[in-house]
Each structure stands twice: as C-alpha cells, then as structure tokens.
Amino acid sequence: MFHPLRVARVDRLTDDAVALTLTVPPALREEFRFIPGQHLTFRHRAADGTELRRNYSVCTPADAPAGPSELTVGVRHITGGTFSAHVVKEVAPGDTLDVMPPTGRFTLAPRPGHFAAVTGGSGITPVLSMAATLLATEPEARFTLLRADRSAASTMFLEEVADLKDRHPGRLQLVHALSREEQQAGLGSGRLDAARITALLPALLPVGTVAGWYLCGPLGLIDATRQALRDLGVDRERVHTELFHADDAPAAPAPAAETATDATVTATLDGRSGSWPVQPGETLLETVLRNRADAPYACKGGVCGTCRAHLVRGEVHMDRNFALEPEELEAGYVLACQSHPLTGQVELDFDA
Ligand code: FES
C-alpha cells in the first residue's frame, strides 16, 4: 500500500507553501500512474507517536503513458497542521516519505469539449494537473479557470498557471479574483459569493455548453459556486467538487439513542473478511482499524472519500458527507469514517 518515495525537490511557492517533488522509481511507475485530479495519501508519525495521514493532489500533468518518473504536490502550511508544517519547514531533498499510490474520483480524463473550474487557494493543485494534461493532449478541448485568492503574493502556482496560458493562449481562459487587492474592471472586490459568480460566469463563457465543472477549495466557495450553477440551470451531473479542509464542514451526529448498541460489523478488505463488535460511540472505520490496520483512510473527516465502502447489509448513520455524490449514496456507498451502526448487523465491502 504505502511506498517510501524519495524527495527530489522542495520549491517555495509562497511564504507558507511549497511544491514537493518526489522521485518514482521505475518499478513503481505503473502503480503510481494517475488520472488528472487524483491525490496521494502521505503517512507521517507525529512527535507524540500518532499516525497522521494527509491527502495532497498531484499538480503535474499526467503525460507519461508508462507512469510518472516524478510527482509534484502543492503543500500549504495550515494553522495547527502537523504534517503540513513538517513538509513546509523541515522536509528536504533526499528525505523519504511514505506515500500511497494515487486515488480519488475528482478527475478529468482528457476528451474534447469546454471544461471549467472554480478554485480557491490550494484548490488550484488538482485543477492545474487537469488543465495542463487536457490542453497538451486534446487539441479540441478548451478550459476556463476562475481562481480566487487573497493576494498575488499568497497565490500558489501563479507562474505555472501563467505559463500554461502562454502555451495555450486561445484555449485557456484565466480569471483571477483577488479578495484583498484592487480588482480589474468587472470583478468587483471582496469574496466571490453566489451572486457575483452568477453574474460573472455567463459573461466569461457559454455556461450551457460546458461539459464539466470542477470546483475545488474551501466550503464557502464551493457552496457559492454550486448555488450559482444551480441558478444558471447547470445539470448537477456536470458539477464535480472536492472540498479542501475538513474543519469547516458541518456535522450532523446521530442521536446516541438511535445508534445500535452491541452491533457487529463485518468487513471485506482485499478479499478477506472478518466480524468485530462495535464499541459505543466509535465509527465503523475505527472498529475495522482496530482489527485490520490496512483499512483505507486519510482525512477521517468525511471529506476525501478514501474510506468509501459498499454497505452490503444493515443501516448506518453518517455524521457528515462531503465526498460521496448522490448517485454513490443511492448505489449504497458510505464513508466508514463517518458511519455509526443503526442496526445490530452491518456489513461493509471496501473492495466494491
Ligand atoms: S477518511 Fe476521508 S472521508 Fe473518510
């Protein structure tokens, strides 16, 4: 699952963010092949011994058919973030980090059409890979990027996006909204809210013909853009989202009286099954992890979707869900890190 990868470079992007480039040895290139938009899960042991996992999106293009020789992720130091502080302040070329091969369903495989993204802050990272891969490999594709940042100085991958625009001047349209700087005409100032996005998008592009919308960033921007796209009549199936930061996502815990006491969870993982009692208050992921250290997870916050499993039997309550689409819920998928049993028997299939 996890592989030790060597750090090739650490390039400073802003005061609080770096681009971290890892070398992928030839034997692992096939396994580390990715679709633009996917992320890597890093494993790190904090000073107090607890194991941390964090997801970071690959920002480099997926342009090597045999798999990448290098992978770059953008890491911003967030307040209180143990792993991001470690990467931004301590990690150096030659160090080794434990990394899981790319996963994630927030993806854009190149195809003809007009695609658009709205990003905030570090939400640019997966979208940079999407746009770069799409424009380099699909001559019939166009991309519109509306990115929101506080200031030019705090903007990650400012030059990389400008270079991409220079390489594809007619096919990449870029609008940069800076909330703390004076704006160019038409953009107004301050945060992008639903009303401003609803007014802005039709002026930028033919909204109804966009084949796919990719929203990535903090919850406020994602909610505002979703609202704007709804108001503009865009089909929900064309809108793909990835939330960054679990902290600002609201939760709806199940009333304790409704969760089943003495419940048992049966889980299938890598073809092997087991059944274990669920301790009061714990999530199904916690139950499975106590018995199977290889259970998949990263954020434990209902945001990344790494712990997705198919609910084969029983019922669960999810405290929050910012990862699964309505179709996945309908098909019976749940987030194990957010699930509590509502029935005495619950069965999860992590391989489905
Ligand atoms: S581990 Fe991220 S959603 Fe469950």
Side-chain angles (χ1 to χ4, degrees):
M1 283 264 252
F2 281 95
H3 297 280
L5 295 188
R6 194 166 287 278
V7 175
R9 292 185 301 284
V10 181
D11 298 308
R12 192 148 286 277
L13 297 171
T14 69
D15 279 354
D16 60 356
V18 297
L20 174 73
T21 301
L22 303 160
T23 303
V24 185
L28 289 176
R29 285 182 193 161
E30 167 77 32
E31 205 178 331
F32 275 82
R33 230 168 23 178
F34 65 101
I35 308 171
Q38 287 191 312
H39 54 252
L40 304 174
T41 302
F42 290 77
R43 182 171 65 181
H44 173 65
R45 208 159 279 287
D48 65 1
T50 46
E51 182 184 307
L52 298 172
R53 294 187 184 189
R54 292 292 177 266
N55 285 344
Y56 288 96
S57 302
V58 178
C59 61
T60 29
D63 53 5
S69 55
E70 288 190 338
L71 285 167
T72 304
V73 297
V75 180
R76 168 163 274 156
H77 177 209
I78 54 169
T79 314
T82 311
F83 182 71
S84 61
H86 172 63
V87 171
V88 171
K89 294 179 182 164
E90 294 165 5
V91 166
D95 290 354
T96 296
L97 295 171
D98 280 347
V99 189
M100 213 192 280
T103 54
R105 295 177 309 284
F106 179 71
T107 54
L108 171 54
R111 59 186 195 273
H114 191 162
F115 298 87
V118 179
T119 68
S122 53
I124 187 64
T125 48
V127 169
L128 181 55
S129 173
M130 289 177 184
T133 311
L134 182 79
L135 295 170
T137 57
E138 183 48 70
E140 297 300 316
R142 295 170 52 94
F143 204 90
T144 296
L145 170 60
L146 169 58
R147 65 183 306 198
D149 286 280
R150 288 196 303 275
S151 63
S154 73
T155 299
M156 293 170 75
F157 300 115
L158 189 68
E159 276 172 33
E160 288 76 0
V161 172
D163 286 351
L164 194 60
K165 186 168 161 45
D166 289 345
R167 278 205 299 283
H168 307 283
R171 296 197 293 133
L172 174 63
Q173 182 184 21
L174 169 66
V175 178
H176 198 178
L178 298 168
S179 61
R180 296 207 185 146
E181 287 180 15
E182 208 139 292
Q183 284 295 339
Q184 51 277 53
L187 271 178
S189 57
R191 272 175 186 274
L192 281 180
D193 57 17
R196 287 178 63 207
I197 297 170
T198 308
L200 186 58
L201 290 179
L204 288 178
L205 76 174
V207 169
T209 64
V210 172
W213 294 85
Y214 292 84
L215 322 182
C216 190
L219 186 63
L221 181 69
I222 287 188
D223 277 350
T225 311
R226 271 204 198 119
Q227 174 69 45
L229 293 176
R230 260 197 308 273
D231 293 349
L232 291 166
V234 172
D235 267 359
R236 210 200 46 75
E237 293 87 73
R238 296 196 179 185
V239 181
H240 312 277
T241 61
E242 184 157 272
L243 177 66
F244 272 23
H245 313 314
D247 306 347
D248 52 1
E258 286 179 19
T259 55
T261 46
D262 297 333
T264 299
V265 59
T266 302
T268 305
L269 201 56
D270 270 338
R272 283 194 298 126
S273 299
S275 293
W276 310 285
V278 183
Q279 307 287 340
E282 73 181 1
T283 64
L284 296 182
L285 176 70
E286 287 166 334
T287 313
V288 177
L289 269 177
R290 270 193 294 107
N291 299 281
R292 288 284 302 265
D294 55 338
Y297 74 90
C299 74
K300 288 191 181 172
V303 170
C304 70
T306 310
C307 65
R308 186 181 94 139
H310 190 236
L311 182 63
V312 180
R313 186 158 56 116
E315 283 177 45
V316 302
H317 171 89
M318 280 200 283
D319 292 340
R320 58 183 181 179
N321 165 35
F322 286 90
L324 299 180
E325 301 288 341
E327 307 82 65
E328 295 175 286
L329 296 173
E330 255 165 55
Y333 287 96
V334 297
L335 298 173
C337 77
Q338 298 299 306
S339 293
H340 300 274
L342 295 179
T343 50
Q345 298 288 331
V346 173
E347 189 173 339
L348 295 179
D349 184 354
F350 285 90
D351 299 339

